[in-house]
Amino acid sequence: MMLLPCPHCGPRNASEFRYLGEERSRPDPSATTPAEWRSYLYDKRNPAGWSTETWLHALGCRTFFTAERHTVTNEVRSVTLPGAQE
Amino acid sequence: MAKVLVHAPPTGRLAEQLGVPFGQSRLDDDGTLVLRVRPAQWLLFAAAGRGPELVQHWRHAAEGTGEFVSVVDVTAGRSLLRLSGDTGPALLAKICALDLDAAPDGSALRSSVAKVNAEIVRSDETDGRRSYLLACDRSYGQYLVGVLAGAGAEFSLATTA
Amino acid sequence: MINVPRRLRPPAPTSTRVAVRPGEVIDRAAPLAFRWEGRPYTGLAGDTIVSALAASGVDVFSRSLKYHRPRGVLTASFHDPGCLVQVGDEPNVRGAHRSLAAGMDVRPQNAWPSLRFDVKAVNQTVGRFLGAGFYYKTFMKPERLWPAYEAVLKRFAAGGVIPDRGPDETYDKPIYDKRYVHVDVMVAGGGPAGMAAAIAAADAGARVMLVEEEPELGGHLRYAGKAELDLLGQLRRSVAGHANIEVLVDSVVAARYDDNWMAVLQRSHRLARERLIKARARTLVVTPGLIERPYVFAGNDIPGVMLSTAARRLVNLWAVAPGERAVVFTANADGEEAAAVLDDAGVDVVRVVDARRGGDVVRAKGGARLEAVELGDGSTVECDLLVTATGWTAPTSLLNMAGDRPVYDPRAARFVPGDRRPATVLAAGGLAGDGTIDELIAHAEAVGTAAAGRAAGRTPTAPDPLPRAEHPALFRSSTHGLVDFSEDVSSKDLLAAAKEGYESVELLKRFTTVTMGSAQGKLETVNAVAILAEATGRTIDETGTTIWRPPYAPLSLGALAGRQFEPVRYSPMHPWHEAHGAVPLVAGQWIRPDNYGNPAEEVRNVRRAVGIIDVTPLGKIDLRGPDVPKLLNLLYVNKWSKLAEGAVRYGVMCAEDGVVFDDGVTGHLGPDHYLMSTTSSGAESVLTLLEHILATDHPDWRIHLTPMTGEYASINIAGPHSRTLLGRLAEDVDLTPEAFPYMHVRTATIAGVPNCLAWRLGFTGELSFEIHVPADRGLDVWQALLDTGHDLGAAPFGVEAQRIMRLEKGHFIVGQDTDGLTQANAAGLDWLVKLDKPDFIGLPELVWAKERENDTNRDRQRLVGLQPVDPTLVPPEACQLVEGHLVDSQRIVGRITSSRFSPTLERSIGLGFVAERLSAAGTVVAVRLEDGTLTPVTVMAHHAHFDPEGTRLRG
């Protein structure tokens, strides 16, 4: 089982975390089109490589964070808290 | 025991007064144990009946700081177990995947204990004996006691009320 | 023509135990009685099952998988493919590994009716029909015969027996345990290199776990000469002297996953039959040693043909002479050593055939025991033991699991580790290369030191790799023989498969099942690759090898299941329910009372008098802060800005696709203070959604969330007498309809318990109060309600009665009457959804859904109330609705989502989805029942079958 570095608790087993999907931004609901909205809902990049994802340390400090993870090697090269400057 | 949850900004005047860094706990002279298991939440354990007093105290402390603070009495909602003795770490190692050797006295962690989200506080006895406090949602209490009893069979686990 | 099977000779009664060996592990003063094939035998403490039997002259331990040929010792170790036995209840015990215990009842497997008279041995004579892919080709068509094929194949399948105990579970079930471990350095393999690496790592301050498959540390030193035994003693003392080395013997690192997460199987734990250790190590040192490779020639599986390591182990560990007249075929020093050991133990070594000088073994002759060997020079030598030493296989499994791919070294004639593994995975010992024992130990020490350094976060360079010694490339003689002893796959099968086009080693493996048996490629992979290379005219390097995947060693299902962690939640009133005969209902993690014996009577009692139900599992979230209304407006499809203090509102949440996600009520308790309730099953996901919104999208909103599900015991008091009942116990609250109207919340002291909440709600359709009581007093209040309400008819009701009443009232349940495609309007929630709000979760989809209602598609389905025309018929839930109840049009137009018999209306009622064009009140459609018959049901005007105006609940 891979380790994920929680920004607060440090490395913990992946089973403590919940994957909340690739990072994406919600279109403006008053101006969106069906095509754009459904792309937001259903289209995933699913790369064989670096992926920017939202995770929740569900069975821990319940922090939400963004992780850059390599989907082939499971290496995590960065974790950031929401609102933090990239 | 009374249990009170304080929500406050992770840095600020109230955080300073509460005075416990994330991941740690402190036992005050009056017997109150202060844990910080989430960056912006403190959990206070105190003698039974002291809940309303603690709620008042911290609400009062928050006034004047200008900070957004909430204080909630959660006395009835959490089950508390103490695990004392030398085999405590070996017993916990059967139901919790954390490296407890890396958690010195005073550590306050949250993790999965037998698949239940629980607070794990290392709070050794005054004579230096290893001791852990486990806190979980009250509804899981009976399950967790059962799991500990099953896992502890090989250590001649004794239970005291 | 089929031959009658031959009777094999009975085992020799004489002992084959030889004089004391310096490194023997048996205790000659401790005899152990056991049974084999039902007959009494005696072994010694320290014996394995097979060594004890071999010492008594037994040389056949099983029958082979396909041809049911007799099988003896090949490796005398865990992987020995012919030594799987049944021990009591336990099937597939590795007989050449498992320590003998007094009283063991050992039986052969895969032999019927007996080991020496095996009916299926006829397979030997029809062997030419059982070539590669035989099962695939023969038992494929026609499909209708599959059940018959299964019955036939089962009789021929390998493996032991798990006794069917039936429902009686009083027998002593074995315990399987589980444990987590964290170490700096994990050393997989407790031979000399593993011990040296562990000692060096521990010297450097690391926490070390040293795992050895055999019952004691030592590896090949255990069955070597005096000097090696002395060295072994030193190493063992040094390991024992380190407090920070935890040694596990009779254990194996079975798998390595990301970030050095490992499955370690501990076999003979004092309390458990097996224990699965989930270990996390900063660095892993892999030191499994080398595995000796069999030689492929005619008759190479006849009992009496064995590897040089097997012969040395039998003689030196257990003082068993593996034969009387031996021929040794060798390509290396280990074969010479075996010849010397046999000679020393009094075995007559009649010939040493040296492959390096052109010698070869062409054929072994014999039935149940070797009788003679035909050599490459044409001569035949009578013997009962043939020992082969033709080379080694490097078990690179754990390295492969870390991403490495083995490469072939033609000079050393074996696959060796590649260079594609993380810095936290190292190798030492024979796996890493060759050398004298001193060189190997020095290298392992350097590796152990480097491993400790890397575990501490430093980046020491690993020692230079060990050189590899030259070794003859020796795989197959001029004859054909078995490659896979577990699966009965011969070199001829492999050549035939290659001819059929299975030229990729991975395809060859799956087609012929070579390497797929109990030894899992440890003995056969290299020979299989070499033979495929020969068949296809490629080099071994070009042919490549199969990828070794987890697990490295077999794990029992019991070990994998281990001690189960299945959290169960109970309400504070659970002891009362149990004591009063409640039928338990598993609802997610919660155990709830389904009913107390008669749900219909529970319904009638609520409608007539008053009932109480434990609804503690309802999700409850405390919300505080000035921005709570903003959050509620974003979450729910309806409006929340103007909810007065003391008022309660029902809300529905959708997901961003407009699909109904959860529902519940939220009450405004005080200034900037709200309490939200969710469905029991949705409590976790709603909390996560709220936290997610606040953490990522709206960190500026000043809101604090506190989950309160366990904080409150929740009781719903329902029925015409509920106000009277609550009034007898409540203080500090005015319960009159004027002061406390429907959909409002008040704080109260109930039965002397302060800080309770009382809500006026109506899920059951009756006048009802839902009370939240601090959980530690829940049972007291529950009891007080029943005691005080005795004269009013107060009685408990369970989830089933509640479900009936909510269906009578037409209240849908998210997940029961809706599914993953049900948008809010389809669930009949148009009245609730406020599309003029600037935003809420799912808004765009619901706007488009509304627009679509104007199009011409009237097959879109909507939730409606349904009543079967036959009032006594309760159609099962999930039955399909079809158009036209007189003729089966086969056209599905909907389905039943909820169906019950209503004790109040004394008829069957339901909810279901039906096509919009058929959703007008009074339309009759048909339900297709499970047996295919159709029965008419009427679409109703309302979801509610009972009191659609809601006069009762507003009373």
Side-chain angles (χ1 to χ4, degrees), chain C residues 84-204:
Chain C
L84 270 65
V85 292
Q86 175 98 21
V87 177
D89 278 4
E90 200 183 347
N92 305 322
V93 171
R94 305 297 177 122
H97 171 85
R98 176 68 62 88
S99 296
L100 185 70
M104 269 183 170
D105 178 23
V106 186
R107 291 174 184 277
Q109 299 183 165
N110 208 21
W112 180 78
S114 81
L115 196 54
R116 256 168 298 105
F117 185 87
D118 186 328
V119 169
K120 280 165 286 184
V122 295
N123 277 1
Q124 290 183 58
T125 52
V126 296
R128 64 198 169 88
F129 296 120
L130 296 181
F134 169 74
Y135 290 98
Y136 296 142
K137 291 171 180 170
T138 311
F139 297 112
M140 188 60 79
K141 282 178 178 170
E143 278 179 38
R144 67 187 162 80
L145 285 182
W146 280 7
Y149 293 155
E150 188 183 332
V152 172
L153 291 172
K154 255 186 191 165
R155 297 291 291 276
F156 283 80
V161 177
I162 299 172
D164 182 3
R165 298 278 177 183
D168 172 30
E169 300 240 333
T170 52
Y171 76 101
D172 201 16
K173 270 195 277 190
I175 295 169
Y176 292 91
D177 197 42
K178 204 183 273 185
R179 173 193 167 202
Y180 297 97
V181 160
H182 300 263
V183 290
D184 297 314
V185 180
M186 171 73 73
V187 182
M195 287 191 281
I199 293 161
D203 281 342

Side-chain angles (χ1 to χ4, degrees), chain B residues 5 7 38 59 68 70 72 74 76-77 93-94 96-99 101 115 137-140 142-143 154, chain C residues 177 180 182 207 271 275 563 565-570 589-590 624 691 702-706 711 775:
Chain B
L5 186 67
H7 299 259
R38 290 173 65 163
R59 282 194 184 148
F68 174 48
S70 297
V72 187
V74 292
K94 296 179 78 170
C96 174
L98 285 186
D99 183 1
D101 287 344
K115 289 196 181 153
D137 188 281
R138 180 194 183 94
S139 57
Y140 289 114
Q142 190 180 333
Y143 159 75
E154 69 174 293
Chain C
D177 197 42
Y180 297 97
H182 300 263
R207 289 184 293 177
L271 288 176
R275 176 191 252 185
R563 200 165 353 85
F565 298 142
E566 284 175 13
V568 178
R569 306 177 77 170
Y570 298 108
Q589 293 182 333
W590 289 93
R624 289 173 201 240
E691 288 181 326
R702 286 150 58 99
I703 299 173
H704 285 141
L705 307 174
T706 311
E711 177 69 24

Side-chain angles (χ1 to χ4, degrees), chain C residues 407-439:
Chain C
V407 291
Y408 187 69
D409 178 353
R411 196 171 158 272
R414 65 176 194 254
F415 283 92
V416 298
D419 55 4
R420 289 165 53 186
R421 53 181 190 270
T424 51
V425 178
L426 300 111
L431 181 63
D434 299 316
T436 65
I437 186 71
D438 290 338
E439 286 164 354

Side-chain angles (χ1 to χ4, degrees), chain C residues 608-670:
Chain C
R608 177 176 66 225
V610 60
I612 62 173
I613 179 172
D614 181 352
V615 291
T616 302
L618 274 178
K620 293 167 283 260
I621 303 169
D622 180 282
L623 306 166
R624 289 173 201 240
D627 295 320
V628 172
K630 290 183 188 168
L631 178 65
L632 298 176
N633 265 324
L634 180 63
L635 282 170
Y636 286 120
V637 298
N638 48 335
K639 290 189 182 173
W640 287 83
S641 303
K642 289 182 185 135
L643 186 70
E645 268 182 45
V648 172
R649 191 167 289 168
Y650 173 73
V652 167
M653 292 178 203
C654 290
E656 289 285 28
D657 56 5
V659 169
V660 176
F661 166 65
D662 202 71
D663 70 343
V665 295
T666 295
H668 192 168
L669 302 183

Side-chain angles (χ1 to χ4, degrees), chain C residues 641-848:
Chain C
S641 303
K642 289 182 185 135
L643 186 70
E645 268 182 45
V648 172
R649 191 167 289 168
Y650 173 73
V652 167
M653 292 178 203
C654 290
E656 289 285 28
D657 56 5
V659 169
V660 176
F661 166 65
D662 202 71
D663 70 343
V665 295
T666 295
H668 192 168
L669 302 183
D672 295 344
H673 186 198
Y674 294 74
L675 189 71
M676 171 185 286
S677 70
T678 72
T679 61
S680 313
S681 52
E684 277 303 312
S685 37
V686 171
L687 179 68
T688 301
L689 173 66
L690 266 59
E691 288 181 326
H692 194 188
I693 290 168
L694 294 179
T696 57
D697 297 333
H698 297 284
D700 52 318
W701 286 357
R702 286 150 58 99
I703 299 173
H704 285 141
L705 307 174
T706 311
M708 300 292 268
T709 305
E711 177 69 24
Y712 287 122
S714 303
I715 303 167
N716 190 287
I717 308 161
H721 298 329
S722 57
R723 181 178 285 120
T724 312
L725 173 55
L726 184 58
R728 290 178 183 177
L729 290 170
E731 300 163 57
D732 314 325
V733 64
D734 183 351
L735 297 180
T736 59
E738 300 72 33
F740 189 178
Y742 180 56
M743 292 303 267
H744 280 73
V745 61
R746 299 286 182 264
T747 54
T749 296
I750 299 171
V753 179
N755 301 317
C756 298
L757 292 173
W759 309 60
R760 269 203 66 189
L761 305 171
F763 193 48
T764 56
E766 289 299 323
L767 172 67
S768 78
F769 296 85
E770 194 149 294
I771 59 173
H772 292 346
V773 180
D776 48 352
R777 302 297 304 279
L779 186 54
D780 300 341
V781 173
W782 175 268
Q783 190 66 57
L785 284 165
L786 290 171
D787 293 346
T788 312
H790 187 70
D791 60 314
L792 299 172
F797 64 104
V799 174
E800 176 59 18
Q802 187 193 41
R803 291 200 150 206
I804 293 170
M805 286 187 277
R806 69 89 202 175
L807 184 59
E808 290 177 340
K809 182 60 192 153
H811 287 140
F812 74 89
I813 295 177
V814 176
Q816 161 95 28
D817 300 298
T818 71
D819 64 20
L821 295 171
T822 310
Q823 292 185 317
N825 54 327
L829 293 166
D830 304 79
W831 60 278
L832 193 71
V833 180
K834 297 293 178 255
L835 295 176
D836 57 339
K837 290 206 298 181
D839 191 12
F840 63 83
I841 297 173
L843 171 65
E845 286 291 354
L846 293 179
V847 169
W848 299 323

Side-chain angles (χ1 to χ4, degrees), chain C residues 522-535:
Chain C
K522 292 170 188 72
L523 303 174
E524 45 305 82
T525 294
V526 179
N527 286 339
V529 170
I531 287 159
L532 181 63
E534 173 195 332

